[in-house]
């Protein structure tokens, strides 16, 4: 297409622009990776949302940033792959499906495993289609030919391969340990699936009598219901108060069981009485002490948090009801000597919200030491490491990996990757393999599934066809280039991808990790259901369009920082899009009939043309550099300033002179400049605002089918006009200064008044004379006098700009005293600027270490400020002598 269609609607309506555009892109296959192009690959895998329904603003944020990157890289000529996918989200999805079944009066046990999984797959298919629709509404340039799901066969094969290999290396083991147990979901949780909340509780101080009747030991606990499972009492081996008691026994109150007193370094002699009750089946520290001293493990709770038969008369009670009853019974027995109020951190399940119970259970674990060690090692080598942006998050990652615990990977669910382990029906022997044992009728597969994060940890390479390392896709696109995600899942996901990537591919899974923060409301609060302050990104798009939401998400925060969402901010980006629309319509109406081949910038460019082309070059350079540094907030500011201020406020207004003039050659040149600048501006803006830019670009004279595959703008040295840019700076300063003076004395622009411009030299005078048409157009003087040494009326409003002084004789309008006061303040301002820059230049460290260009720039500033200071000083003296 070479000739534009100027039939753009008068009103900017994002819904009509965006509807159908995504499908149009897909039909053109613009989003598919192009390995046959021979160009350098650039790959990203989408952070997979779980199939539980709606995308949240956080997901919209990281996918928007990734979309910006992939669109820019595609325009720069890379073979850009953005691979989409979804996560099965074991606990969350199973909870949703079970909730739906409960509404119908059915449980998963009524259905059985096979039928339940059929229902869950139906859920997955339904909600996966919803997610795809939301991705398209957001405008994500995904290659759907490569979409993956964590329970796909290929990914399941990768999960089995990893499990078996880690098991064979001794890095996966099955053991009985204290784990985090969710009594509501009835499943184990990893440490990072536990959210700690501050809770008002109490320390319950009790006395355990010595079995020989010689005294009592005082202990304290926040969970008195667990005392039913006590199997010992511990003291420090160096504690003189209790050395003589080690080896003796105490009587467990209420239960009446005799339990030993042991000595262990774990006990803090300075805390409380220095005596600690040991409940090895209900506390991780007690578990370790119990192992060292062969203490019995007595599990007194059921999986649902109720007390079991070992709890005696409390059997069947809920754990918290049991706590209340035990406290009452201890008080009646005279054993409870004090209840001390105590605020402490209590773990809650991230998924169900239930209070997590430390619980003795047989589970599967990953031995993290060796994996963490090699993942940390690559961070010592620049060519191998994962680069965190901002880099402070590398320390966050390193600290967690250095202190990591073994990872509990088994979950008591049905939805997920069933653990590839079988138990012999007679001998209990364990078999681990990718396939069932040959005599499978004699074996029973472990019913548990793997933690969702186990499969998600393999995402960057399992989606590329691994373990087939000869797969062309794997060889071309792995490792991936950039991951964008929030700081809240560095531990959940980022760290696990890194250590699994290193273990199974020998290298990092991605080069860079761009970290963003959390989306908060206008008051800075985290968005949550309980506060009711959540925002559905699809609702925002319905009201303001995807481009407005995307631009806000991309520019509303700097890397690593939280983002505050307010409707007003999104509304302001809509206003920006509307400004772009209106400016584009004006430009298009004035280039009707112009074809791409007719665009000609070799003609007689005026100062405004040269200035806008220079500014475009500067913007291209800055936007490209900042985008590569992931500084999208700064990218947005550069584009906003160029489009709103330079292009709309100045160039379009100045372009009206030749466009509405009689000089056809000047008109043709300005039309070409408008077309060229608008084309390149839309390309720069396209990654952030894909819909409006495609729509405008299609109406412009252009080459190619879609802006998505148009070339990324590059700096054209022939369009760098430094001198003309300085001339334009002078003109805009003059126009602003005149407008400010008029505003101060309430003289509207429509009222003509004389204007005198005293140039500092003949060169400046020549520039002003050459461009006097602009001064006359935008300052509306009754007469315009330009000279070097001018005689000017004494009672004038004045202004000093770089290279010139302005005088507006406003007889009858000017108050001499007020003008002296205004100029005195201006003199003080320039004096401060001179002092500031002089101080900087007198600093030897700055002059010797700062880049030469920066020092030169500061010296130019100093000369300019001194010149302005002298001019204002001179004018003040004249007014005071009147």
């Amino acid at each position: 297409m070479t000739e534009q269609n100027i039939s753009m609607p008068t009103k900017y309506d994002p819904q009509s622009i965006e509807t159908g555009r995504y499908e149009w892109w897909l039909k053109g296959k613009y989003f598919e990776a192009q390995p046959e192009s021979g160009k350098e690959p650039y790959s990203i895998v989408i952070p997979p949302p779980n199939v539980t329904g709606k995308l949240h603003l956080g997901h919209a944020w990281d996918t928007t940033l990734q979309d910006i990157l992939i669109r820019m890289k595609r325009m720069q000529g890379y073979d850009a792959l953005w691979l989409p996918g979804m996560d099965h989200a074991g606990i969350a999805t199973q909870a949703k499906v079970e909730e739906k079944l409960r509404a119908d009066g059915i449980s998963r046990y009524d259905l059985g495993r096979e039928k339940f999984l059929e229902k869950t797959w139906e859920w997955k298919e339904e909600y996966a289609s919803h997610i795809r629709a939301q991705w398209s509404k957001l405008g994500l340039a995904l290659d759907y030919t490569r979409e993956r799901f964590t329970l796909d066969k290929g990914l399941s094969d990768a999960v089995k391969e990893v499990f078996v290999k880690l098991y064979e290396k001794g890095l996966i083991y099955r053991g009985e340990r204290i784990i985090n147990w969710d009594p509501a979901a009835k499943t184990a949780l990893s440490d990072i699936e536990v959210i700690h909340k501050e809770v008002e509780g109490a320390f319950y101080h009790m006395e355990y009598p010595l079995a020989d009747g010689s005294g009592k030991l005082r202990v304290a606990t926040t969970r008195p219901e667990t005392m039913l499972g006590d199997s010992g009492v511990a003291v420090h081996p160096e504690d003189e108060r209790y050395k003589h008691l080690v080896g003796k026994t105490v009587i467990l109150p209420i239960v009446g069981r005799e339990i030993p007193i042991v000595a262990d370094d774990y006990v803090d002699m300075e805390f409380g009485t220095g005596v600690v009750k040991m409940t090895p089946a209900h506390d991780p520290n007690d578990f370790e002490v119990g192992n060292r001293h062969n203490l019995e493990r007595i599990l007194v709770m059921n999986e649902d948090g109720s007390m079991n038969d070992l709890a005696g008369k409390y059997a069947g009670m809920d754990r918290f009801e049991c706590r209340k009853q035990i406290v009452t019974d201890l008080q009646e027995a005279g054993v409870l000597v004090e209840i001390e109020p105590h605020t402490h951190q209590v773990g809650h399940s991230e998924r169900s919200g239930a209070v997590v119970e430390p619980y003795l259970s047989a589970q599967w674990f990953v031995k993290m030491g060796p994996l963490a060690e090699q993942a940390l090692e690559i961070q010592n080598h620049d060519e191998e490491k994962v680069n965190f942006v901002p880099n402070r998050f590398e320390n966050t990652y390193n600290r967690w990996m250095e202190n990591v615990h073994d990872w509990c990977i088994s979950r008591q669910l049905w939805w997920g990757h069933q653990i590839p382990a079988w138990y012999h029906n007679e001998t209990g022997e364990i078999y681990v393999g990718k396939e069932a044992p040959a005599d499978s009728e004699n074996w029973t597969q472990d019913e548990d599934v793997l933690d969702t994060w186990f499969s998600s940890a393999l995402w960057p390479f399992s989606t590329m066809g691994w373990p087939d390392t000869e797969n062309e896709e794997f060889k071309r696109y792995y490792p991936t280039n950039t991951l964008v995600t929030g700081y809240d899942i560095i531990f959940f996901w980022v760290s696990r991808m890194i250590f699994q990537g290193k273990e199974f591919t020998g290298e990092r899974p991605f080069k860079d990790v761009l970290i963003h923060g959390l989306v908060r409301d206008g008051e800075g609060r985290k968005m949550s259901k309980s506060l009711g302050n959540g925002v559905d990104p699809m609702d925002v798009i319905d009201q303001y369009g995807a481009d407005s939401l995307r631009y806000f998400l991309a520019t509303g925060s700097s890397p690593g920082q939280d983002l505050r969402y307010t409707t007003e901010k999104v509304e302001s980006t809509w206003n920006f899009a509307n400004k772009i629309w209106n400016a584009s319509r004006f430009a298009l109406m004035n280039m009707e009939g112009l074809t791409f081949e007719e665009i000609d910038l070799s003609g007689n460019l005026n100062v405004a043309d040269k200035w806008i082309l220079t500014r475009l070059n500067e913007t291209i350079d800055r936007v490209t550099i900042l985008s590569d540094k992931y500084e999208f907030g700064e990218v947005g500011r550069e584009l906003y300033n160029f489009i709103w201020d330079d292009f709309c406020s100045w160039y379009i207004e100045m372009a009206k002179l030749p466009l509405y003039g009689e000089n056809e050659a000047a008109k043709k040149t300005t039309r070409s400049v408008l077309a060229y600048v608008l084309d390149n501006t839309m390309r720069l803006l396209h990654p952030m605002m894909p819909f409006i830019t495609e729509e405008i670009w299609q109406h412009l004279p252009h080459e190619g089918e879609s802006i998505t595959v148009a070339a990324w703008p590059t700096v054209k040295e022939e369009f760098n006009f430094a001198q003309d840019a300085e001339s334009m700076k002078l003109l805009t300063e003059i126009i602003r200064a005149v407008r400010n003076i008029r505003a101060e004395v309430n003289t509207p622009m429509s009222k003509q008044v004389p204007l005198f411009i005293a140039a500092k030299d003949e060169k400046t005078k020549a520039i002003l004379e050459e461009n006097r048409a602009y001064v006359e157009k935008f300052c509306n003087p009754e007469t315009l006098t330009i000279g070097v040494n001018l005689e000017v009326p004494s009672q004038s409003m004045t202004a000093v700009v770089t290279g010139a002084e302005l005088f507006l004789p406003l007889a009858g309008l000017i108050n001499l005293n007020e003008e002296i006061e205004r100029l005195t303040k201006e003199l003080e301002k320039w004096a401060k600027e001179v002092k500031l820059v002089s101080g900087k230049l007198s600093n030897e460290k700055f002059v010797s270490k700062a880049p030469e260009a920066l020092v030169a720039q500061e010296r130019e500033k100093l000369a300019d400020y001194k010149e302005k200071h002298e001019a204002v000083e001179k004018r003040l003296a004249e007014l005071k002598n009147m």
Side-chain angles (χ1 to χ4, degrees):
M1 178 179 177
T2 57
E3 185 172 332
Q4 89 285 6
N5 170 12
I6 64 165
S7 59
M8 275 176 62
T10 303
K11 185 181 177 184
Y12 169 58
D13 180 4
Q15 279 70 33
S16 65
I17 293 170
E18 295 170 8
T19 301
R21 176 61 72 188
Y22 192 76
E23 286 72 18
W24 180 83
W25 278 324
L26 285 178
K27 287 175 185 175
K29 299 186 181 296
Y30 301 120
F31 300 158
E32 290 183 17
Q34 301 295 324
E36 68 277 2
S37 68
K39 294 175 181 174
E40 183 181 346
Y42 182 94
S43 59
I44 295 177
V45 290
I46 195 169
N50 63 54
V51 286
T52 55
K54 292 182 177 181
L55 301 181
H56 52 75
L57 268 176
H59 189 79
W61 190 3
D62 50 44
T63 51
T64 292
L65 297 181
Q66 288 193 326
D67 194 57
I68 289 169
L69 288 168
I70 210 74
R71 286 180 182 271
M72 183 180 78
K73 293 301 179 182
R74 185 177 289 118
M75 294 173 78
Q76 289 174 337
Y78 289 83
D79 168 23
L81 167 65
W82 193 13
L83 189 148
M86 300 173 208
D87 193 300
H88 66 278
I91 296 175
T93 303
Q94 180 157 322
K96 290 280 188 182
V97 176
E98 289 198 76
E99 182 183 344
K100 186 179 179 183
L101 291 174
R102 277 196 299 273
D104 297 330
I106 306 170
S107 78
R108 63 169 158 144
Y109 301 103
D110 296 330
L111 292 176
R113 186 171 194 139
E114 189 175 333
K115 289 290 184 184
F116 175 78
L117 291 179
E118 285 178 14
K119 290 286 185 185
T120 314
W121 274 104
E122 289 172 10
W123 171 284
K124 179 265 175 184
E125 292 305 324
E126 179 184 351
Y127 282 91
S129 64
H130 294 340
I131 289 170
R132 290 187 202 103
Q134 291 171 82
W135 281 339
S136 67
K137 200 168 180 176
L138 195 54
L140 305 184
L142 296 160
D143 184 353
Y144 283 109
T145 65
R146 292 174 166 84
E147 185 181 337
R148 299 290 183 268
F149 180 58
T150 47
L151 290 180
D152 285 348
K153 183 183 183 305
L155 275 70
S156 294
D157 290 344
V159 167
K160 291 175 186 175
E161 178 84 7
V162 166
F163 188 96
V164 172
K165 285 190 172 179
L166 289 177
Y167 180 79
E168 290 172 348
K169 290 182 73 171
L171 295 177
I172 280 183
Y173 64 93
R174 180 172 169 80
E176 193 174 56
R177 297 174 67 89
I178 297 289
I179 48 89
N180 302 301
W181 184 261
D182 181 337
K186 296 182 187 176
T187 183
L189 303 171
S190 66
D191 289 346
I192 52 179
E193 289 172 305
V194 178
I195 299 170
H196 292 275
K197 300 178 183 178
E198 200 169 79
V199 172
E200 294 291 334
F203 262 131
Y204 299 90
H205 296 263
M206 301 173 284
E207 290 181 333
Y208 286 15
L210 289 160
D212 62 7
S214 62
K216 299 174 182 177
L217 290 183
R218 183 166 171 170
V219 299
T221 181
T222 58
R223 300 158 65 216
E225 68 277 10
T226 64
M227 69 171 287
L228 302 172
D230 283 3
S231 57
V233 169
V235 297
H236 194 279
E238 301 301 321
D239 195 329
E240 294 295 337
R241 294 172 293 178
Y242 308 116
K243 272 186 177 182
H244 64 291
L245 297 178
V246 174
K248 291 188 174 186
T249 60
V250 294
I251 303 297
L252 183 60
I254 295 178
V255 179
R257 187 169 62 243
E258 206 169 319
I259 57 177
I261 301 169
V262 300
D264 197 279
D265 291 336
Y266 161 72
V267 179
D268 182 356
M269 289 188 286
E270 306 301 322
F271 184 76
T273 61
V275 183
V276 182
K277 61 189 280 301
M278 291 288 115
T279 318
H282 289 276
D283 183 278
N285 295 313
D286 295 3
F287 176 82
E288 298 298 336
V289 174
N291 284 350
R292 290 194 286 271
H293 299 279
N294 297 314
L295 298 180
E296 187 180 359
R297 300 169 184 169
I298 305 170
L299 189 66
V300 296
M301 284 186 201
N302 295 310
E303 291 182 351
D304 63 357
S306 64
M307 308 308 289
N308 65 20
D309 291 342
L310 294 178
K313 68 178 184 178
Y314 306 101
M317 277 187 162
D318 172 78
R319 54 185 167 155
F320 298 119
E321 285 302 314
C322 177
R323 178 181 299 178
K324 292 177 185 176
Q325 187 59 52
I326 282 185
V327 168
T328 300
D329 292 349
L330 289 170
Q331 287 173 323
E332 290 178 357
V335 177
L336 186 64
V337 294
E338 182 184 358
I339 300 176
E340 175 190 357
H342 176 60
T343 301
H344 59 141
Q345 295 288 323
V346 176
H348 290 70
S349 169
E350 184 205 25
R351 297 298 184 187
S352 71
V355 172
V356 169
E357 190 66 40
Y359 196 76
L360 182 65
S361 179
Q363 302 286 342
W364 289 90
F365 296 87
V366 173
K367 190 179 292 183
M368 285 300 303
L371 295 169
E373 187 178 342
Q374 63 182 7
L376 285 166
E377 173 57 25
I378 65 172
Q379 295 304 107
N380 297 322
H381 307 283
D382 289 342
E383 294 305 311
E384 298 178 26
K385 70 183 294 188
V386 173
N387 302 295
F388 285 80
V389 182
N391 60 12
R392 68 177 182 273
F393 287 103
E394 183 176 355
N395 293 329
T396 303
Y397 162 79
N398 286 343
R399 281 197 302 273
W400 188 77
M401 292 294 275
E402 286 163 358
N403 297 287
V404 72
H405 300 112
D406 285 0
W407 173 17
C408 177
I409 56 172
S410 45
R411 298 290 181 269
Q412 288 63 54
L413 304 169
W414 288 352
W415 175 244
H417 295 99
Q418 193 169 354
I419 291 174
W422 286 259
Y423 307 101
H424 196 279
N425 295 335
E426 295 179 2
T427 66
E429 176 191 352
I430 296 178
Y431 166 82
V432 170
K434 289 183 280 187
E435 304 295 337
D439 53 339
S440 57
E441 68 277 4
N442 295 320
W443 297 79
T444 300
Q445 187 173 0
D446 194 311
E447 291 195 352
D448 290 353
V449 299
L450 289 164
D451 177 10
T452 298
W453 296 104
F454 190 91
S455 52
S456 296
L458 317 180
W459 188 252
F461 56 91
S462 64
T463 54
M464 301 288 187
W466 188 92
D468 178 11
T469 55
E470 294 305 308
N471 179 293
E472 288 302 317
E473 196 165 88
F474 176 80
K475 289 196 291 185
R476 182 163 182 78
Y477 296 114
Y478 184 86
T480 60
N481 292 79
T482 307
L483 170 75
V484 182
T485 193
Y487 59 61
D488 54 327
I489 59 171
I490 290 175
F491 311 136
F492 281 98
W493 191 41
V494 178
S495 61
R496 288 170 173 169
M497 285 190 285
I498 295 172
F499 72 68
Q500 294 286 45
K502 175 60 179 172
E503 172 68 16
F504 289 100
T505 72
E507 52 190 329
R508 60 190 176 189
F510 25 73
K511 180 184 174 185
D512 296 336
V513 180
L514 173 59
I515 300 292
H516 62 69
L518 303 176
V519 183
R520 299 185 180 275
D521 66 13
E523 298 176 32
R525 300 174 303 174
K526 186 177 177 180
M527 290 186 172
S528 68
K529 287 182 181 178
S530 59
L531 291 174
N533 61 348
V535 175
D536 185 342
M538 299 304 116
D539 292 343
V540 179
I541 291 173
D542 286 339
Q543 187 169 3
Y544 296 105
D547 285 332
S548 294
L549 176 62
R550 288 169 60 108
Y551 187 84
F552 161 71
L553 291 172
T555 63
S557 175
S558 56
Q561 299 300 310
D562 290 346
L563 175 72
R564 289 199 178 193
Y565 177 88
T566 65
T567 301
E568 292 75 19
K569 289 178 182 177
V570 181
E571 200 168 79
S572 72
T573 64
W574 185 93
N575 290 333
F576 178 45
N578 192 54
K579 181 83 169 180
I580 295 166
W581 185 264
N582 292 334
S584 300
R585 283 194 73 253
F586 167 82
L588 285 163
M589 285 189 293
N590 284 282
M591 62 176 84
E592 187 173 358
L594 180 69
T595 65
F596 182 78
E597 292 79 9
E598 291 172 338
I599 295 174
D600 182 9
L601 302 179
S602 63
N604 186 22
L605 299 169
N606 61 39
V607 67
D609 297 333
K610 292 178 179 177
W611 168 74
I612 199 66
L613 290 171
T614 303
R615 282 291 297 120
L616 176 63
N617 264 351
E618 292 169 352
T619 304
I620 291 169
D621 184 52
R622 290 287 296 154
V623 165
T624 305
I625 290 171
L626 290 167
S627 295
D628 285 337
K629 292 180 177 179
Y630 309 113
E631 294 283 355
F632 297 118
E634 293 302 313
V635 169
R637 276 180 275 283
E638 289 286 337
L639 288 169
Y640 184 94
N641 292 338
F642 176 75
I643 293 169
W644 193 292
D645 297 334
D646 298 337
F647 186 68
C648 296
S649 298
W650 286 108
Y651 183 71
I652 282 182
E653 293 306 310
M654 290 186 160
K656 290 176 181 178
L657 268 68
L659 287 174
Y660 300 158
E662 302 298 323
N663 187 325
E664 290 300 321
K667 187 181 296 186
K668 181 181 177 183
T669 298
T670 299
R671 281 155 51 95
S672 291
V673 172
L674 274 171
Y676 176 82
V677 172
L678 197 52
D679 176 5
N680 281 273
T681 303
M682 291 304 100
R683 297 185 199 210
L684 288 175
L685 186 61
H686 174 71
M688 284 188 172
M689 304 177 94
F691 291 105
I692 191 174
T693 52
E694 179 77 271
E695 188 70 18
I696 291 170
W697 193 81
Q698 288 293 341
H699 287 79
L700 286 167
H702 65 267
E703 201 172 41
E705 295 179 342
S706 170
I707 196 172
T708 62
V709 288
W712 182 256
T714 55
V715 172
K716 300 286 193 296
E717 290 300 328
E718 64 270 28
F719 295 151
N720 281 334
F721 303 100
Q723 187 55 57
D724 293 277
E726 285 300 312
S727 298
M728 184 67 175
K729 181 182 175 183
L730 172 62
L731 293 173
T732 55
E733 275 195 62
I734 288 171
I735 294 165
R736 283 196 189 97
V738 170
R739 288 174 174 173
N740 289 340
I741 290 172
R742 283 174 169 272
E744 282 183 36
V745 291
N746 292 320
T747 303
M749 292 300 297
S750 58
K751 181 178 177 62
Q752 291 187 322
V753 293
L755 172 60
F756 294 81
I757 304 179
K760 71 172 183 179
D761 52 36
E762 291 295 334
K763 182 181 177 183
T764 307
K765 177 188 173 185
I767 292 170
L768 293 170
E769 287 289 1
E770 186 179 348
N771 295 288
R772 69 184 294 132
Y774 292 118
V775 179
E776 289 173 342
K777 167 70 177 174
F778 296 104
C779 295
N780 194 27
E782 182 181 20
T783 58
L784 173 60
T785 307
I786 301 171
V788 176
N789 296 303
L790 286 179
E791 291 289 332
V792 297
S794 58
Q795 288 200 5
S796 297
M797 292 288 283
T798 64
V800 178
V801 298
T802 303
E805 288 183 77
L806 313 180
F807 301 87
L808 276 81
L810 298 170
L813 298 175
I814 182 173
N815 181 304
L816 192 61
N817 290 332
E818 287 180 0
E819 178 65 356
I820 288 173
E821 185 180 345
R822 185 182 72 81
L823 287 174
T824 301
K825 289 179 181 177
E826 191 173 344
L827 187 69
E828 290 171 358
K829 181 183 85 169
W830 295 124
K832 285 180 183 176
E833 295 289 358
V834 168
K835 183 178 179 182
L836 183 67
V837 180
S838 296
K840 193 180 286 187
L841 290 171
S842 64
N843 185 330
E844 289 184 13
K845 287 185 178 179
F846 170 76
V847 175
S848 62
K849 292 184 178 181
E852 199 173 311
L854 181 59
V855 175
Q857 187 180 36
E858 292 299 314
R859 286 184 175 134
E860 287 177 13
K861 277 187 190 176
L862 181 59
D864 182 38
Y865 296 156
K866 281 183 175 179
E867 186 181 300
K868 288 175 177 174
H869 183 271
E870 289 169 7
V872 173
E873 194 173 40
K874 178 183 175 185
R875 180 61 181 159
L876 255 178
E878 290 172 356
L879 290 178
K880 287 177 179 178
N881 289 328
M882 285 183 185

